[in-house]
Amino acid sequence: MTTVPEIDLSDPELLHDPAAVYGRARERAPVARLVAPGFGPMWAVTRHAEARAMLADPRFGNSAASYPRLDVPEQCRPYLRTMQEMDGPEHQRLRRLSAPAFTARRAAAFRPVVTRIVERLLDDVADLLADGPADLLEHFAGPLPVHVVCALLGVPDEARPAWLVHGRAVAAGNGPAFTAAVPAIIDGAREVAPHVADLFGDGLTEQERVTQVWHLVLAGQTPTNLIANAVAALLEEPSRAALLRAEPDLLPGAVEELTRWCGPQLLTIPRYVHRPADLAGVTVNPGEPVTVAIVAANRDPRVFPDPERLDLRSTAAGAHLGYAHGPHFCLGAPLARVQAEVALGALLARFPDLALSSSGALAGVAARRVPDPGTWRLAALPVTAGDAAGPT
């Protein structure tokens, strides 16, 4: 029988360095038990092969129990059950209708739009940096995915400020601000849903189309924390940023490696079984949640050579589980990759002397993480720069 290590999600060490805590558990066993005050235990798969197997195993499925129930007005509730909660034929139908909008080819075709958005945001960042430190999380990584989603959905310019506010609430994770934003997000989804039939296909009902739009707003914020984490990692050791400036062709592979090494999602959405099932030597019973510790699987030495090192030339990083695996592999992964590539490339080219802020009111914030056991994210990303180059 597998000896299962136990991990306390409120442990300060876990919140400070989840890769180390989960890494120790991974080397003890392929499964760990997660506990926290006021939180029922949850199984976590820690090794890459076992994680891929579980995520592709139809016995382990998403359900309404996978998500916290939101206290929102009754008129919002029909739209809360998104494709992520579904499995089997129902999930397959919605995914089949939505998938064509999020292929790698469509994302590549959308790249010029992303580039224009990035350049406009960097113009604003340059103005801020002329007067001192600027917070790249607030002024660049945060608004970028919202602008991209708005462009994808055809949200008019005058409506975008409200969407930016809601996007910040989503990127910050579950909490009062997020719950309060949900009705407005759904109202916005209702407004644009009639105009996005070409995006999601004409096989969706009106309710399903609104649900897909609001789900896109939720899932579409992932690049915020990925880009912020990536920028922090590149600037912590300036030689990393210098390498990508000198060899921009490395960017696609570097984005995969950065996703592996400092991706924001620490845990996958919990799965459940309908009958007792074996999970790497552990019996999981109905009602017991199972997750993947992505942070552990993405540093599994059984798959990644020298996994604790950020290697921007890595050829193995594409095996990461940053976008999950199996039936619920993230549909928006191609668009997230394009955003990260364009954002990092343009930022590094535009500001050759970009550095983490080390003085003033924002000093040290870049090194301070939000104590969130589910998401590896920054509270702020203050940077400074010398004379900025012109637009690229």
Side-chain angles (χ1 to χ4, degrees):
M1 180 176 176
T2 302
T3 301
V4 178
E6 188 169 278
I7 297 174
D8 183 349
L9 293 177
S10 65
D11 181 356
E13 184 186 4
L14 174 80
L15 300 175
H16 174 72
D17 190 355
V21 174
Y22 281 111
R24 289 196 298 268
R26 179 194 60 234
E27 297 313 304
R28 289 178 56 193
V31 178
R33 188 171 183 265
L34 309 184
V35 298
F39 176 85
M42 179 164 59
W43 301 110
V45 186
T46 59
R47 294 180 186 170
H48 190 278
E50 288 83 351
R52 278 177 59 93
M54 190 279 285
L55 292 172
D57 189 333
R59 296 176 303 167
F60 295 87
N62 289 352
S63 72
S66 299
Y67 299 85
R69 293 297 89 190
L70 298 176
D71 184 14
V72 295
E74 188 62 34
Q75 67 267 23
C76 297
R77 297 191 179 280
Y79 307 106
L80 296 185
R81 186 171 180 265
T82 70
M83 187 169 62
Q84 281 288 86
E85 292 188 17
M86 304 171 188
D87 279 300
E90 188 179 23
H91 173 264
Q92 292 167 9
R93 181 182 71 86
L94 291 175
R95 191 175 181 95
R96 183 182 68 253
L97 291 170
S98 302
F102 299 100
T103 62
R105 178 176 294 181
R106 287 288 293 269
F110 205 65
R111 191 182 188 103
V113 177
V114 176
T115 299
R116 289 193 292 272
I117 294 170
V118 165
E119 290 174 347
R120 288 199 302 269
L121 290 173
L122 290 182
D123 287 343
D124 295 338
V125 169
D127 291 341
L128 293 168
L129 287 172
D131 295 325
D135 183 357
L136 283 185
L137 181 60
E138 179 179 357
H139 299 289
F140 183 57
L144 172 59
V146 183
H147 280 297
V148 170
V149 168
C150 285
L152 193 66
L153 294 173
V155 176
D157 290 345
E158 61 272 17
R160 294 188 183 186
W163 287 64
L164 287 166
V165 172
H166 305 327
R168 282 196 293 271
V170 172
N174 289 326
F178 170 73
T179 301
V182 169
I185 297 173
I186 291 177
D187 285 343
R190 283 200 195 99
E191 292 176 8
V192 302
H195 312 295
V196 296
D198 59 332
L199 185 65
F200 294 118
D202 57 8
L204 297 176
T205 66
E206 184 274 340
Q207 179 176 313
E208 288 172 340
R209 191 173 291 123
V210 172
T211 300
Q212 290 294 79
V213 171
W214 117 268
H215 185 212
L216 177 59
V217 175
L218 296 184
Q221 306 315 307
T222 296
T224 288
N225 294 315
L226 171 59
I227 292 169
N229 288 350
V231 171
L234 294 175
L235 298 184
E236 282 169 350
E237 291 192 18
S239 62
R240 296 169 178 165
L243 174 62
L244 294 185
R245 288 191 182 98
E247 300 184 47
D249 288 348
L250 291 175
L251 268 168
V255 166
E256 298 306 304
E257 172 69 349
L258 287 159
T259 305
R260 179 194 73 82
W261 198 74
C262 58
Q265 296 308 120
L266 300 176
L267 303 169
T268 63
I269 295 165
R271 309 288 179 91
Y272 294 84
V273 294
H274 296 295
R275 61 181 62 88
D278 178 80
L279 179 70
V282 171
T283 298
V284 177
N285 295 304
E288 295 179 337
V290 180
T291 185
V292 166
I294 299 175
V295 64
N298 279 353
R299 298 197 184 193
D300 190 340
R302 298 157 188 82
V303 176
F304 304 101
D306 198 6
E308 298 302 323
R309 183 171 73 93
L310 176 60
D311 179 6
L312 299 176
R313 297 184 185 276
S314 173
T315 59
H320 71 76
L321 299 179
Y323 298 110
H325 177 68
H328 288 279
F329 179 83
C330 177
L331 267 182
L335 188 58
R337 288 174 167 126
V338 166
Q339 288 182 70
E341 288 175 29
V342 173
L344 295 178
L347 180 72
L348 294 175
R350 183 78 173 266
F351 304 105
D353 298 317
L354 196 69
L356 296 174
S357 177
S358 59
S359 62
L362 295 175
V365 178
R368 189 170 68 240
R369 296 276 171 181
V370 176
D372 183 342
T375 308
W376 185 236
R377 58 191 175 98
L378 289 159
L381 182 55
V383 297
T384 59
D387 294 333
T392 56

